[in-house]
Amino acid sequence: MLHARNDWKKTVSAALLAGLLLPASLAGAAASPETSAAPSIAGNAAGGPESSAVQPDALKPEAGQAAPAAAVKKKKVLVIGLDGTRPDALQAANAVNLEALAANGAYSWTTKANSNYTWSATGWSTIHTGVWYQKHGVKDNTWTGSKFGQYPSLMKRAELYNPALSTASIVHWGPINDKLVEGIDLEKTVATDAEVVSDTVNLLKTGNPDFLFLHFDDIDHAGHTYGFSPKVSQYTKAIEGVDAQIGTILDAVKARSTYAQEDWLILVSTDHGGKGTSHGGGSSEETTIFLIASGDSTVKGQLTGATYQADVMVTALKHLGVPVSSSWNLDGRAVGLIQ
Ligand SMILES: [Zn+2]
């Protein structure tokens, strides 16, 4: 486990170093010759390793230099929800695909979930609505008190703003689709994480999703059976199992015939941590979560500022070009994006 952690650090610093040492022009060319976003990545890297905060002024294209229309890639979002995944256990596990996503993006291992009521319904409600439990009203898995009329899922908001968006939610834990997500193009509830993978691979192959939410439940199940801890091998093995499944999904994204014309933002987070074999309280083990934002449109490296569970879907909307209205009264904001 110590080895995995060291390798992890090596991978990330190597990636950061590569970005820093490459001349801006070369870095831009290497990253992606056709996108206007590529020079922005180089521009940010040149700002220094601490600059996870975006510097919009440094990222503007030169005056009079209009980007060719062909350079605009189709923005797409894949949100991967890993139920009950503690960030310290994720780091202890040999999770090569999640490590690669973090190395090619912005990440935090100290993201804050709801300060209490760390249940699945509460956490997924915060991720999907972009507000804390005090606003969405869900304090346990009975879903009583939910205020999704006032604070609907942001996937629904995206669909309302742009009905042309293809939106889908494929989940292992059915209540996410039954109680929370609504007004989108496709809702699919399946019985296993393996089916989340096969359905998603099929959709990526035969369909054209723009905004996709996935929910995996096996890690949470391992936590309840064996313990939520980086020291519990059954728990870290479960993380590695889902990590391999994520690898299959990422391969399917890259295998899309239109992949070269697409700009995928991959977001990964969780509803809550865990303590012993349970969760639901306000301890740091239960409320400390993680957030990964990966892709060509993200800044690179560990996010130095605070990040929150409510930020996940707000970041997705920003990438998709869906404007957030102040009347929505959101608690989250976009994090980790270049602009
Ligand atoms: Zn649970």
Side-chain angles (χ1 to χ4, degrees):
M1 285 187 191
L2 200 58
H3 264 111
R5 197 179 288 238
N6 286 340
D7 289 345
W8 162 266
K9 280 182 183 154
K10 250 184 285 178
T11 308
V12 173
S13 22
L16 280 173
L17 206 57
L20 283 170
L21 296 181
L22 274 176
S25 55
L26 195 59
S32 175
E34 294 173 1
T35 56
S36 55
S40 304
I41 293 168
N44 182 67
E50 312 256 324
S51 66
S52 64
V54 187
Q55 299 169 330
D57 286 349
L59 306 173
K60 284 177 186 159
E62 285 172 37
Q65 193 182 356
V72 178
K73 293 189 176 187
K74 186 79 190 292
K75 304 269 189 185
K76 290 179 179 278
V77 174
L78 168 61
V79 181
I80 301 173
L82 305 180
D83 206 296
T85 305
R86 275 175 57 157
D88 52 359
L90 173 51
Q91 289 174 275
N94 186 27
V96 292
N97 294 296
L98 289 163
E99 288 173 9
L101 284 174
N104 184 39
Y107 59 91
S108 170
W109 309 129
T110 56
T111 304
K112 298 306 292 179
N114 281 283
S115 58
N116 205 340
Y117 309 112
T118 47
W119 302 105
S120 280
T122 312
W124 294 122
S125 292
T126 290
I127 284 183
H128 273 277
T129 62
V131 299
W132 298 117
Y133 77 84
Q134 290 90 340
K135 290 181 185 173
H136 66 57
V138 178
K139 287 160 71 173
D140 58 42
N141 285 350
T142 67
W143 300 87
T144 51
S146 67
K147 296 173 189 152
F148 299 140
Q150 192 177 353
Y151 298 102
S153 87
L154 295 180
M155 294 188 82
K156 181 183 183 181
R157 297 270 200 203
E159 187 68 45
L160 285 169
Y161 174 76
N162 181 4
L165 283 177
S166 174
T167 48
S169 171
I170 301 174
V171 304
H172 184 169
W173 194 53
I176 294 173
N177 280 346
D178 297 340
K179 306 282 190 183
L180 170 60
V181 173
E182 58 163 335
I184 66 170
D185 295 318
L186 173 70
E187 291 179 30
K188 187 88 186 278
T189 297
V190 294
T192 64
D193 281 1
E195 285 175 82
V196 172
V197 178
S198 56
D199 275 40
T200 302
V201 167
N202 188 49
L203 180 63
L204 287 164
K205 202 171 182 178
T206 62
N208 191 21
D210 298 302
F211 191 2
L212 182 52
F213 173 77
L214 308 179
H215 168 268
F216 291 84
D217 220 1
D218 285 355
I219 298 167
D220 186 68
H221 293 172
H224 284 292
T225 306
Y226 303 105
F228 294 85
S229 166
K231 296 183 175 130
V232 173
S233 64
Q234 293 94 335
Y235 183 61
T236 55
K237 288 284 176 216
I239 293 173
E240 289 166 12
V242 173
D243 179 76
Q245 294 175 315
I246 290 170
T248 302
I249 289 168
L250 296 177
D251 286 346
V253 169
K254 290 170 192 155
R256 286 172 55 75
S257 60
T258 46
Y259 180 68
Q261 290 86 49
E262 296 171 352
D263 175 10
W264 283 88
L265 171 66
I266 317 279
L267 296 163
V268 193
S269 192
T270 183
D271 52 345
H272 53 72
K275 191 178 181 183
T277 55
S278 189
H279 54 82
S283 71
S284 66
E285 293 93 335
E286 295 161 288
T287 60
T288 304
I289 60 167
F290 67 94
L291 173 59
I292 299 171
S294 186
D296 286 348
S297 290
T298 67
V299 297
K300 305 295 182 270
Q302 190 150 11
L303 290 163
T304 50
T307 55
Y308 302 96
Q309 189 170 47
D311 297 340
V312 177
M313 284 297 186
V314 185
T315 305
L317 292 200
K318 174 92 171 173
H319 185 68
L320 292 169
V322 178
V324 168
S325 166
S326 59
S327 69
W328 299 354
N329 199 17
L330 298 185
D331 293 323
R333 77 277 194 248
V335 293
L337 297 178
I338 286 171
Q339 52 190 346

